[in-house]
Amino acid sequence: DRLATFFVALATVMMCLGMAFVLPSVYEPVMSVTGLKYSTLRHLIQDSLNECGVALVFALVVSLLITASQNACKSGEKLRLLNLALEESQKLLAEAQAVAKLGSWSWNRQTEETVWSQEMQKILGVEHKDPSELIFDTIDRVVHPDDHARVRAVANEVSTTGVARPVEFRIIRPDGEERIIYADGTIVMADNGLPTHMLGTVLDVTERRRMQDELERRVEERTAELAESNEQLRREVQVRREAEAEVRASEKRFREMAENFHAAVWVQNAISGELLYTSPACERIWKMPTEEIRAHPEAWLERVHPEDREATRKKFRDARFGDPPVAVNTEYRLLWPDGSIRWISDRSFPIFDEAGQVQRIGGVATDITEQRAAAEALRHSDRLSVIGTLAAGIAHEINNPVGSILLSAQLAQKQMNAPN
């Protein structure tokens, strides 16, 4: 390109010189120096210019031929590289389609030919021998009988409207294997409304659908299991709520009874010893504030008579830590702050959890001072009654022989007073 530019520039300069030679200011100095006539000088210059012009034109033609040859070589190399790149792209496309199990096809309206990819033939299980056969006709031969009407309806719709849409259906290969494919495509329309090209893909979704069906089956099974579990949980929650309601009602009845009961009711944690509940009667019986009793679970022992304190402590420990823990009935005396003594009957018993471990200790304490006084009075009355009965028996035993003695004395007296 640079050489051709140089030759053109040089030819232009020579043409300018030839045109300038007709001017007197140019040829007169040359004539005076050379001594030549104007005609001779003009022919000489024109011949020289003609020869140079021919040489320049020849050189220009040669340079253009050389440039064209170089460009052709470059174009050929580019074409070869493009062909290699195209082959590599086609190879990569074929590999990608094989991995994705995706086949492709195209139809050219001008040539009336249909081109298939290798993966397309592999998916359908048939060879594409007739390029003039339409893709719809080929698929129509392998489609599953149960899906034939639906696929044909879609094909007719596409042919009528010119608008492609995807469709999924089953096919039966010549070897009898059933596969599920997903077909999609597009239609290239000309300005006159007629299709010029049709492009499409065919994707083998058999494994994906089987996995999806298996997943849906498992989801349904899991959903059924969850539904059953939810129903079971609902029933358990309902039972628990009913049990909790029953417990609350039972606790309410227990509190109503315990708080209106003359006996003291208490519940203790078997492990920590914390008093969980004390009825109002506890304060009345032990003459201690409820807060102090709960703050110091063993403070009530300070009210127990010193002579009964250790034995009482031992019995409560047997109820709490015995092996096995057992219910304990005990009576002990309380020494009130005013110095009076009260007798208490206390029954403590272990409360077990579901595992059979002692969870709580319950107890009922009753002030039996009046009962003991009444019993003591009854025992005194019984002693007096026994003494009276004994005295009556003794008198009876004495009266019998005394009566016999008196009768015998009266008879003896009569006999002594008789005349004989």
Side-chain angles (χ1 to χ4, degrees):
D1 293 339
R2 289 194 297 269
L3 184 61
T5 303
F6 171 75
F7 285 146
V8 170
L10 184 59
T12 303
V13 171
M14 294 181 68
M15 290 174 63
C16 293
L17 289 176
M19 293 174 63
F21 187 75
V22 299
L23 299 176
S25 59
V26 175
Y27 65 79
E28 287 180 356
V30 177
M31 291 174 60
S32 62
V33 173
T34 59
L36 297 175
K37 294 181 179 180
Y38 174 75
S39 59
T40 303
L41 184 60
R42 181 178 179 182
H43 286 294
L44 179 62
I45 293 175
Q46 285 181 348
D47 292 339
S48 299
L49 289 177
N50 289 334
E51 292 178 359
C52 290
V54 171
L56 287 175
V57 171
F58 179 76
L60 179 61
V61 171
V62 171
S63 65
L64 291 177
L65 290 175
I66 293 174
T67 302
S69 176
Q70 291 177 348
N71 291 336
C73 292
K74 292 180 180 180
S75 299
E77 181 65 18
K78 289 181 180 180
L79 182 60
R80 188 181 67 82
L81 294 176
L82 288 175
N83 289 332
L84 291 177
L86 180 60
E87 292 177 0
E88 184 66 21
S89 299
Q90 291 177 346
K91 180 179 178 182
L92 293 176
L93 177 61
E95 293 178 354
Q97 288 188 354
V99 171
K101 294 184 178 181
L102 176 69
S104 62
W105 59 271
S106 63
W107 173 76
N108 190 322
R109 182 173 179 273
Q110 294 179 351
T111 61
E112 296 292 337
E113 290 184 352
T114 303
V115 179
W116 289 18
S117 67
Q118 291 294 329
E119 188 63 23
M120 175 81 173
Q121 301 181 56
K122 181 179 178 182
I123 291 174
L124 297 182
V126 296
E127 295 184 3
H128 184 56
K129 297 180 179 180
D130 185 5
S132 63
E133 183 180 18
L134 295 177
I135 182 65
F136 299 110
D137 297 333
T138 305
I139 293 180
D140 191 63
R141 290 190 288 108
V142 297
V143 70
H144 195 283
D146 295 341
D147 298 343
H148 188 275
R150 180 167 57 87
V151 174
R152 175 53 63 180
V154 173
N156 293 334
E157 178 183 346
V158 172
S159 301
T160 303
T161 63
V163 178
R165 68 180 184 89
V167 60
E168 184 176 298
F169 54 92
R170 293 167 294 174
I171 64 171
I172 300 179
R173 292 176 175 176
D175 58 2
E177 183 181 4
E178 181 178 315
R179 307 294 292 181
I180 303 174
I181 65 173
Y182 177 86
D184 196 2
T186 184
I187 300 176
V188 181
M189 306 297 291
D191 295 338
N192 57 4
L194 297 177
T196 61
H197 291 81
M198 293 180 66
L199 308 173
T201 58
V202 173
L203 177 64
D204 189 341
V205 297
T206 306
E207 303 302 329
R208 185 179 69 183
R209 283 300 306 271
R210 289 174 180 173
M211 294 177 61
Q212 183 178 353
D213 294 341
E214 178 65 17
L215 180 61
E216 290 178 355
R217 184 186 64 81
R218 293 185 179 182
V219 168
E220 290 177 357
E221 292 179 354
R222 185 58 179 165
T223 302
E225 293 176 359
L226 290 176
E228 180 63 24
S229 299
N230 290 336
E231 180 62 23
Q232 179 67 23
L233 181 61
R234 187 193 65 79
R235 290 194 295 266
E236 292 178 358
V237 169
Q238 182 64 25
V239 171
R240 185 179 295 273
R241 286 178 178 175
E242 292 175 356
E244 291 176 353
E246 181 62 26
V247 169
R248 288 193 295 269
S250 178
E251 290 179 351
K252 182 179 179 182
R253 292 192 296 269
F254 169 76
R255 289 181 179 273
E256 291 175 350
M257 180 186 69
E259 293 176 2
N260 293 279
F261 196 42
H262 292 291
V265 180
W266 54 272
V267 179
Q268 185 181 29
N269 189 302
I271 300 175
S272 64
E274 177 188 2
L275 282 171
L276 304 176
Y277 174 77
T278 56
S279 67
C282 292
E283 185 173 349
R284 176 178 55 81
I285 291 178
W286 273 278
K287 294 299 181 182
M288 295 178 65
T290 303
E291 294 77 10
E292 184 178 353
I293 296 175
R294 292 187 178 180
H296 305 285
E298 293 192 357
W300 64 275
L301 284 171
E302 298 176 1
R303 289 282 191 266
V304 178
H305 197 283
E307 297 177 0
D308 302 340
R309 188 173 299 163
E310 190 59 32
T312 302
R313 180 184 286 111
K314 183 178 183 303
K315 287 189 176 182
F316 276 96
R317 285 181 177 176
D318 291 341
R320 182 177 174 186
F321 302 111
D323 188 17
V326 293
V328 174
N329 294 320
T330 183
E331 291 184 3
Y332 53 86
R333 290 169 292 174
L334 291 181
L335 186 59
W336 280 3
D338 59 1
S340 59
I341 296 176
R342 307 295 294 183
W343 278 93
I344 304 299
S345 175
D346 205 333
R347 173 177 173 80
S348 59
F349 47 89
I351 302 173
F352 299 93
D353 59 12
E354 296 178 355
Q357 301 296 323
V358 178
Q359 186 178 16
R360 297 183 179 89
I361 301 294
V364 179
T366 307
D367 188 339
I368 58 172
T369 305
E370 284 75 15
Q371 290 88 333
R372 284 184 66 89
E376 185 64 27
L378 181 60
R379 284 194 296 272
H380 181 69
S381 175
D382 289 342
R383 284 196 298 269
L384 293 177
S385 176
V386 169
I387 292 173
T389 302
L390 180 60
I394 293 174
H396 179 73
E397 293 299 330
I398 294 175
N399 285 336
N400 287 335
V402 169
S404 299
I405 293 172
L406 289 175
L407 180 60
S408 298
Q410 290 176 1
L411 290 175
Q413 185 178 7
K414 289 183 179 180
Q415 291 180 359
M416 292 176 64
N417 294 330
N420 55 353

